[in-house]
Structures are given as structure tokens and as C-alpha cells.
């Protein structure tokens, strides 16, 4: 929420100026969860708020950008082969969110989520859910000669995630620096929204290819990037 939310929305609007961008800012409701008591109670309360707005967003939009993430217990049936960050929270904590995503996916809604910022070979929830497009970040490393582009030092990575060469670092109007996969997800969301708005569509093969009237924009999966750069 707040500046974070505004930056995410601005990225989508810049990538897809033809589309309607709906912003769901739930900072105040999440803040109210602080009075819930124990840390578990606070987390459950925050998750309930996210579920509420995800459900609303899925009912009102074709593409839902989720620049957020939770840790999740591994080896659950609903998770994909991509792998998830580990947590001690029970799987029931995530069930409502999972159900909202799966029901919306069944009606054609597309979800894009940030991969996470722990620099691990795993993804946050819901980026790790089957069918959700997970966005990692590549960065330029000018210190190398020749200059290279490789996985950002903070970005999570896992087989099946998409690597975006832009969106990882932003400077807000007040000079604040924002860094993370929260800002690569809206790049991918915006490109996909642009393709749909232009009635060009996007193609999912071994990688993601955004097809627009200006040409094709292939977006590699993590496993297609040079191993030494990961």
C-alpha cells in the first residue's frame, strides 16, 4: 500500500497506457490487524485482508498483479513444481487465497506475482502456485567487462519463473529508493495487459512471448538464463 502501491500502479500504467488500472490499497485494514494479539493472529488477519481484495480484483479485472508474497510450508499438493519459500505456518493459512486464485483461473483470470526478495531457489506464495506467472528480476552489472545482465542479488529464482530485465529498482518523487521483485511483477502484468488491449495476445511456450503489433517480445524463464549468472 501507500507509495509501494502507487509505484506498482504507475509501472502498469506506463507499460499499458491503453488499459484501465484499478488500485486496491489496503494499508489501513492491514494496520488494524496489529491489535489482533499474537503474531499468528496478526498474520491470519493480514492474510484475510489480502484474500478479500484479491477476490474483488479477480472479479473486476482480466489480469491481477500481486506485488506481495508470503512464506509457505513446502511439499503441499496445491503447489507447483516451482517450489516455495519455507514457513512454519499451517497450510490452512493459505487455503482461502489458493481457492480464490484457482476459481478465478478457471474463469480465465491471469495472475502475476512477485517472486520474492530472499535470494533463494524458491518462490513466495502465491508466486509458487501452479498457473501464476512469477516475476524475478535481472540487473545490469556495469562493474563487469563486458557489462553483463544477471539475476539481481536479492531476487528469488526457481524453475518456471520469468526473468524481467527492468523494474527492480525505482526512485520515488521524494528521492526514496525502492528495490524488489514487487516492481518486476507489474512490468510483466503491464506487458500482458497491453497485448490483450491491442488484441494481439500472449503465447506461452517454453518461455513467455508477448506478441504485439510492434513485434514479439520474448521473456525468458529463469532456467534459460546463463547458469553462471544465477
Amino acid at each position: 500500500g501507500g507509495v509501494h502501491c502507487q509505484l506498482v500502479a504507475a509501472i502498469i500504467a506506463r507499460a499499458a497506457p491503453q488499459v484501465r488500472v484499478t488500485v486496491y490499497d489496503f494499508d489501513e485494514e492491514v494496520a488494524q490487524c496489529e491489535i489482533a494479539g499474537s503474531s499468528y493472529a496478526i498474520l491470519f488477519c493480514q492474510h484475510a485482508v489480502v484474500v478479500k481484495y484479491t477476490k474483488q480484483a479477480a472479479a473486476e479485472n482480466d489480469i491481477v498483479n500481486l506485488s506481495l508474497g508470503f512464506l509457505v510450508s513446502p511439499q503441499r499438493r496445491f503447489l507447483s513444481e516451482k517450489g516455495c519459500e519455507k514457513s512454519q505456518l499451517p497450510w490452512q493459512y493459505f487455503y482461502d487465497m489458493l481457492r480464490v486464485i484457482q476459481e478465478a483461473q478457471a474463469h480465465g483470470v491471469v495472475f502475476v506475482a512477485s517472486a520474492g526478495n530472499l535470494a533463494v531457489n524458491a518462490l513466495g506464495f502465491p508466486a509458487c502456485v501452479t498457473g501464476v506467472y512469477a516475476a524475478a528480476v535481472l540487473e545490469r552489472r556495469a562493474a563487469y567487462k563486458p557489462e553483463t545482465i544477471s539475476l539481481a542479488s536479492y531476487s528469488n529464482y526457481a524453475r518456471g519463473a520469468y526473468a524481467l530485465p527492468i523494474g527492480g529498482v525505482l526512485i520515488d518523487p521524494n528521492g526514496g529508493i525502492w528495490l524488489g521483485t514487487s516492481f518486476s511483477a507489474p512490468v510483466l502484468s503491464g506487458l500482458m495487459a497491453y497485448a490483450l488491449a491491442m488484441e494481439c495476445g500472449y503465447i506461452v511456450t517454453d518461455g513467455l512471448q508477448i506478441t504485439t503489433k510492434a513485434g514479439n517480445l520474448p521473456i525468458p524463464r529463469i532456467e534459460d538464463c546463463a547458469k553462471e549468472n544465477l
Side-chain angles (χ1 to χ4, degrees):
V3 176
H4 178 278
C5 185
Q6 294 169 19
L7 290 173
V8 168
I11 292 171
I12 297 175
R14 181 69 179 268
Q18 302 89 344
V19 307
R20 171 179 56 85
V21 179
T22 306
V23 178
Y24 300 89
D25 191 341
F26 39 84
D27 254 7
E28 290 187 10
E29 288 190 47
V30 168
Q32 291 175 3
C33 291
E34 297 298 325
I35 64 174
S38 68
S39 58
Y40 263 37
I42 291 173
L43 287 172
F44 271 85
C45 176
Q46 292 173 339
H47 185 71
V49 174
V50 173
V51 170
K52 169 186 171 182
Y53 282 97
T54 299
K55 185 174 184 179
Q56 181 180 346
E60 298 173 350
N61 300 276
D62 298 312
I63 299 175
V64 176
N65 180 84
L66 296 169
S67 287
L68 52 85
F70 298 89
L71 303 181
V72 65
S73 297
Q75 300 177 346
R76 299 300 182 188
R77 287 181 299 170
F78 62 77
L79 303 181
S80 70
E81 69 285 353
K82 291 183 286 188
C84 294
E85 296 172 341
K86 295 182 180 180
S87 167
Q88 299 304 312
L89 290 169
W91 73 269
Q92 291 92 337
Y93 175 80
F94 305 96
Y95 181 75
D96 288 342
M97 182 72 161
L98 173 69
R99 184 172 59 183
V100 167
I101 291 173
Q102 291 180 330
E103 289 179 354
Q105 286 175 327
H107 289 87
V109 178
V110 173
F111 289 86
V112 179
S114 47
N117 304 317
L118 297 181
V120 295
N121 185 11
L123 301 172
F125 178 91
C128 59
V129 174
T130 298
V132 174
Y133 292 87
V137 179
L138 298 177
E139 65 181 10
R140 293 184 179 275
R141 298 190 179 182
Y144 292 86
K145 296 182 179 180
E147 182 181 81
T148 62
I149 297 179
S150 55
L151 190 73
S153 58
Y154 55 84
S155 179
N156 286 6
Y157 58 96
R159 185 175 182 83
Y162 292 98
L164 278 295
I166 52 177
V169 180
L170 296 174
I171 300 177
D172 67 31
N174 296 319
I177 297 177
W178 295 76
L179 175 150
T181 57
S182 282
F183 307 114
S184 59
V187 174
L188 182 54
S189 295
L191 291 172
M192 297 175 78
Y194 173 81
L196 289 178
M198 299 298 286
E199 298 182 352
C200 299
Y202 47 86
I203 302 169
V204 179
T205 56
D206 290 336
L208 179 66
Q209 180 169 285
I210 306 294
T211 303
T212 72
K213 293 180 179 178
N216 296 330
L217 176 63
I219 299 177
R221 288 183 185 269
I222 287 292
E223 56 266 30
D224 296 327
C225 301
K227 182 177 291 186
E228 62 269 20
N229 289 337
L230 297 181

